[in-house]
């Protein structure tokens, strides 16, 4: 019979040939106007667990950034780093001329010594008057005045200690050190430059880029769709832990290191309707630099019992719904409306509209119609 022969050839030789709309006795265009058999390409669908990914764009940002600014007024005496090099927290960066601050510290130390001497004298006077007053040798007023002088002397000592600490801090600030580990940029000053405590321009900037962050942007509509899929059981993750992320660089190359989602913003932009995801990546070779544009593939989980449908097999109905055609058991064309859950390579991920074993038509659409 013609129907059996064509179907057998399609399965064994090409995997895509099917005889449809043939008559029951297999005659080829018999008299009486019977429509001859029509050959179409098809694939047999099988349900499977399909990983789902979100393709997002993003920018590389430093894990931490420290802008180095002076905390005192002075003249730069030395620059003690090489631009563009890795720095460790505590490394010396700049030295400000310290003669003025050393003198201020010495003066504050002298004031403290004088105050402590005055306190000792006041303490001795108060003790003597207290003893004499117990013997009625001095009046209560004299004792009260001695006590007040002692309290004043103690306050002067505390004030002098605070002044000495301030002078020490200013003297320490003449040595500017790296607050974090990272790569330091160019210096915006040179030796001999005047710097001020409240200046807006940073002397240099240190950026920590290993690890490095990537800020990804997605729409709130996609966020809601993903949540619905999770709640409906159409999307799930195996095990625990943050979703993994792979990157594609600006030149199309794949970044070798795998990152993880570290946080998500809790608000949606009122102007763009988007929210931000932040992913963290190891960056031992410093390939990712702040400001780079990248494409990210975020592992959202696995969709169980889904179907991979070639994109060429999916069309759009008059209402815009995705549709496909399958070959029924009696070799007729059936139109199916599909529910999709994104793409995987060159295939649509279909969650509803087809079932295991369906013969999906992928070629020959110009020859067929539903029924």
């Amino acid at each position: 019979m013609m129907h059996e022969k064509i179907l057998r050839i399609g399965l064994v030789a090409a995997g895509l040939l099917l005889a449809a709309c043939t008559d029951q006795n297999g005659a080829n265009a018999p008299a009486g106007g019977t429509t001859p058999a029509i050959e179409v390409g098809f694939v047999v669908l099988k349900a499977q667990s399909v990983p789902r990914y979100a393709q997002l764009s993003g920018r590389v940002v430093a894990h931490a950034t420290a802008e180095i600014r002076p905390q005192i007024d002075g003249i730069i005496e030395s620059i003690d780093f090489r631009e563009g090099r890795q720095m460790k927290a505590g490394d010396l960066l700049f030295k400000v001329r310290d003669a003025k601050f050393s003198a201020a510290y010495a003066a504050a130390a002298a004031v403290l010594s004088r105050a402590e001497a005055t306190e000792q004298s006041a303490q001795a006077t108060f003790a003597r008057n207290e003893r004499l007053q117990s013997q009625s040798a001095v009046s209560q007023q004299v004792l009260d005045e001695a006590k007040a002088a002692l309290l004043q002397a103690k306050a002067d000592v505390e004030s002098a200690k605070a002044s000495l600490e301030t002078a020490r801090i200013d003297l320490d600030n003449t040595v500017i050190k790296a607050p974090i580990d990272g790569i330091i940029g160019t210096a915006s000053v040179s030796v001999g430059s005047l710097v001020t405590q409240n200046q807006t321009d940073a002397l240099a900037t240190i950026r920590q880029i290993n690890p490095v962050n990537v800020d990804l942007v997605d729409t709130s509509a996609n966020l809601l769709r993903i949540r619905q899929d999770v709640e409906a059981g159409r999307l799930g993750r195996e095990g625990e832990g943050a979703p993994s992320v792979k990157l594609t660089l600006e030149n199309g190359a794949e970044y070798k290191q795998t990152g993880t989602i570290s946080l998500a913003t809790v608000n949606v932009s009122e102007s763009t309707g988007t929210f931000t995801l932040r992913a963290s990546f190891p960056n031992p070779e410093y390939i990712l630099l702040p400001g780079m544009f990248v494409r990210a593939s975020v592992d959202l989980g696995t969709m169980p019992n889904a179907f991979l449908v070639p994109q060429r097999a999916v069309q759009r109905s008059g209402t815009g719904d995705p549709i496909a055609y399958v070959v029924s058991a009696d070799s007729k064309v059936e139109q199916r409306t599909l529910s999709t859950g994104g793409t995987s390579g060159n295939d649509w991920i279909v969650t509803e509209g087809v079932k295991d074993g369906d013969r999906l038509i992928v070629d020959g659409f110009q020859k067929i119609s539903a029924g």
Side-chain angles (χ1 to χ4, degrees):
M1 290 172 49
M2 180 65 67
H3 170 69
E4 295 176 351
K5 184 176 181 180
I6 293 175
L7 183 59
R8 186 178 302 113
I9 292 174
L11 293 173
V12 175
L16 294 175
L17 296 179
L18 173 69
C21 306
T22 184
D23 59 343
Q24 293 184 351
N25 59 15
N28 194 9
T34 303
T35 303
I38 297 175
E39 296 180 358
V40 294
F42 73 94
V43 293
V44 179
L45 298 179
K46 181 175 178 60
Q48 56 186 299
S49 294
V50 179
R52 182 175 173 183
Y53 299 90
Q55 305 298 324
L56 306 176
S57 60
R59 289 277 183 183
V60 179
V61 296
H63 181 74
T65 301
E67 295 184 341
I68 311 302
R69 288 184 173 86
Q71 299 184 55
I72 55 171
D73 300 342
I75 303 296
I76 295 295
E77 188 173 75
S78 64
I79 299 176
D80 300 280
F81 66 91
R82 297 184 63 182
E83 298 171 332
R85 295 302 180 93
Q86 174 73 33
M87 306 300 296
K88 296 291 184 181
D91 285 351
L92 179 61
L93 302 180
F94 299 92
K95 184 74 169 63
V96 178
R97 192 173 298 166
D98 65 356
K100 177 179 67 173
F101 301 100
S102 296
Y105 181 82
V111 171
L112 176 60
S113 297
R114 183 172 62 248
E116 289 175 339
T118 302
E119 180 189 16
Q120 290 178 0
S121 176
Q123 180 69 52
T125 301
F126 174 74
R128 182 173 59 255
N129 287 332
E130 186 177 34
R131 184 175 61 257
L132 293 173
Q133 200 276 335
S134 65
Q135 299 172 359
S136 299
V138 296
S139 65
Q140 181 65 41
Q141 180 180 355
V142 172
L143 180 61
D144 291 342
E145 290 175 352
K147 183 177 181 180
L150 174 59
L151 293 176
Q152 180 65 49
K154 288 183 176 180
D156 290 343
V157 168
E158 295 301 321
S159 177
K161 287 181 178 179
S163 297
L164 181 63
E165 180 65 14
T166 300
R168 185 194 63 78
I169 292 173
D170 287 343
L171 183 59
D172 289 346
N173 284 336
T174 61
V175 177
I176 303 176
K177 298 181 179 181
I180 61 173
D181 297 347
I183 303 295
I184 193 166
T186 58
S188 63
V189 295
S190 59
V191 174
S193 298
L194 173 66
V195 296
T196 59
Q197 181 176 359
N198 297 319
Q199 70 179 53
T200 57
D201 295 334
L203 303 182
T205 301
I206 298 177
R207 294 179 175 86
Q208 194 175 93
I209 58 175
N210 183 31
V212 72
N213 293 330
V214 176
D215 284 348
L216 308 172
V217 178
D218 199 3
T219 64
S220 56
N222 283 343
L223 175 63
L224 294 174
R225 188 177 301 113
I226 292 170
R227 286 183 173 177
Q228 289 175 348
D229 289 342
V230 172
E231 292 172 357
R234 294 190 295 268
L235 181 63
R237 291 183 53 79
E238 296 181 1
E240 300 181 355
S244 61
V245 186
K246 297 291 290 184
L247 292 182
T248 301
L249 304 178
E250 291 176 296
N251 61 357
E254 182 177 334
Y255 184 60
K256 296 179 181 180
Q257 302 285 346
T258 299
T260 55
I261 296 295
S262 56
L263 65 88
T265 55
V266 294
N267 67 296
V268 175
S269 170
E270 296 180 2
S271 58
T272 62
T274 60
F275 70 100
T276 300
L277 296 170
R278 172 162 288 184
S280 179
F281 286 83
N283 192 28
E285 299 178 0
Y286 304 132
I287 294 175
L288 299 178
L289 300 177
M292 273 187 176
F293 175 80
V294 293
R295 294 287 301 174
S297 179
V298 182
D299 182 7
L300 300 178
T302 302
M303 305 186 73
N305 300 318
F307 299 88
L308 292 178
V309 173
Q311 291 186 5
R312 70 178 187 274
V314 179
Q315 303 177 26
R316 294 287 173 176
S317 66
T319 59
D321 296 324
I323 60 173
Y325 296 98
V326 299
V327 180
S328 65
D330 56 354
S331 296
K332 292 186 178 181
V333 178
E334 291 183 3
Q335 177 180 305
R336 303 279 182 85
T337 300
L338 309 177
S339 295
T340 61
T343 61
S344 176
N346 293 323
D347 298 325
W348 284 102
I349 302 174
V350 175
T351 56
E352 295 179 3
V354 291
K355 61 182 185 297
D356 243 4
D358 275 348
R359 295 178 290 181
L360 179 75
I361 297 176
V362 294
D363 290 311
F365 297 103
Q366 68 278 10
K367 307 174 185 178
I368 63 171
S369 62

